[in-house]
Amino acid sequence: MKSKKYSDREVLLLNEAKRLIETQGVMSFRFSELASVVKCSVGTLYSHFTNKEDLFLAIQTQNLERHLLHFPSLFNCELTPAEIWLAITLLPFWHAKQTGLGTGVHVMAELPSLLHRASSGRRQAFLNKLNSCCLGIDALLKRAKAAGELYSCSDEIALVRTSVVCIQRGAMALSDVEICGNNPRLLDEHNFARCLFGCINQLEWKRPLNSDSYAKVIKQINRIVMIYDE
C-alpha cells in the first residue's frame, strides 16, 4: 500500500513533468531534470518511474482517467448517440490542444514503444483504463441499437469503429508536426470533426450527424470540462 506522501509526490512529479513538456516539448524533455525541479533525489524519481517512457505512460493513463470521468455526463446529455460518439472521440484531441502538451505524450500511435519500455505495473494500469474507454463506447452503441437509434449490423459497426480509431490516432499524431507543411489548419478540431462526420455517418442512424452537430458537441464538451475543472 503506497503512503499518502508517496502518492502526493507522484502527483507533483506528473504535474511538473507535464509543465516541462509544455514549455520544452517532448523531444527536449530530460527525465533526470525532473528530480531537481521537484527537489527530490534521482533515486526517489526512479522509485516512481523506471524511465522516461514509464513517466509518459503514467501521463497517458492520467489523461484516460480524466477522459473516463466525462463519460457519464456525455452519456446523459442532450446529444444524440451519434453526437455522443463524436464528442468522446474529439475529447482527447481537444484536451491535447487545450493543455498545450505535445501529442508525443498523447498520441496513441506511440503506444507500442511506450508499452514495451514501461514497467509491467504501469502497462497494466494503462491497459485497464484503455479497456474501460472501449467498454464505454461498446455500451453507448449497444444502447443506441436497443433504443432504435442505430440500425446497422454488428460487422458494419465494428468496421466503422476501427476507422474512427484510425482517424483519431492519425489526427493526433499529425496535429503538431512539420509533415503538415503549409496546412496548419488541416487538423484543427473542426476539420478533424469533418473527417469523423463522414465516417460515423456511414452507419445507419435514426438521427445522423448534421450541420448543427459540431457546435452542439463542442458546447457540451466545454460545459462538461468546465464543471470538472471547477
Side-chain angles (χ1 to χ4, degrees):
M1 185 72 176
K2 295 178 180 178
S3 68
K4 184 178 185 303
K5 181 179 179 181
Y6 183 94
S7 299
D8 289 346
R9 188 195 299 120
E10 184 151 305
V11 171
L12 178 60
L13 286 165
L14 288 170
N15 288 340
E16 286 300 317
K18 287 187 285 187
R19 186 185 64 80
L20 288 172
I21 292 168
E22 285 181 38
T23 57
Q24 299 176 357
V26 174
M27 298 303 294
S28 299
F29 172 73
R30 290 183 296 169
F31 180 59
S32 58
E33 182 183 347
L34 187 56
S36 60
V37 171
V38 180
K39 295 182 172 58
C40 71
S41 68
V42 175
T44 297
L45 175 61
Y46 276 94
S47 73
H48 287 268
F49 309 105
T50 57
N51 50 37
K52 182 164 69 173
E53 288 75 20
D54 203 55
L55 172 65
F56 284 176
L57 197 59
I59 293 174
Q60 184 69 277
T61 303
Q62 194 177 64
N63 292 336
L64 283 177
E65 288 174 350
R66 182 180 182 183
H67 190 43
L68 284 165
L69 284 174
H70 299 316
F71 272 37
S73 296
L74 285 173
F75 280 25
N76 294 289
C77 69
E78 296 179 355
L79 298 176
T80 68
E83 288 168 346
I84 294 171
W85 192 10
L86 176 64
I88 289 172
T89 308
L90 281 174
L91 193 55
F93 188 87
W94 187 93
H95 275 152
K97 289 294 187 181
Q98 294 300 315
T99 59
L101 288 176
T103 53
V105 175
H106 292 265
V107 64
M108 304 297 277
E110 292 187 5
L111 278 178
S113 174
L114 295 184
L115 289 170
H116 177 71
R117 296 176 184 174
S119 63
S120 58
R122 199 72 68 183
R123 283 197 304 271
Q124 193 57 55
F126 171 81
L127 292 173
N128 288 342
K129 296 299 180 184
L130 184 60
N131 186 54
S132 294
C133 288
C134 293
L135 290 175
I137 296 172
D138 282 341
L140 168 68
L141 297 177
K142 287 177 181 177
R143 187 174 73 174
K145 279 188 68 71
E149 290 279 353
L150 178 58
Y151 308 128
S152 301
C153 69
S154 297
D155 287 345
E156 291 172 332
I157 293 171
L159 180 59
V160 171
R161 279 198 65 182
T162 301
S163 300
V164 166
V165 170
C166 289
I167 293 171
Q168 182 190 47
R169 294 182 183 181
M172 294 179 75
L174 298 177
S175 61
D176 63 353
V177 295
E178 293 178 358
I179 196 172
C180 294
N182 295 320
N183 295 300
R185 297 181 56 198
L186 179 64
L187 294 171
D188 64 13
E189 290 95 333
H190 189 262
N191 284 319
F192 178 30
R194 289 177 63 189
C195 294
L196 292 170
F197 263 52
C199 189
I200 291 174
N201 273 350
Q202 286 182 30
L203 296 179
E204 189 177 358
W205 300 92
K206 180 179 179 180
R207 294 179 290 173
L209 298 172
N210 58 51
S211 58
D212 297 325
S213 293
Y214 176 74
K216 289 169 60 182
V217 164
I218 294 300
K219 181 180 178 180
Q220 286 295 334
I221 288 177
N222 283 324
R223 181 185 67 83
I224 290 168
V225 171
M226 185 179 299
I227 291 172
Y228 172 78
D229 287 344
E230 290 176 350

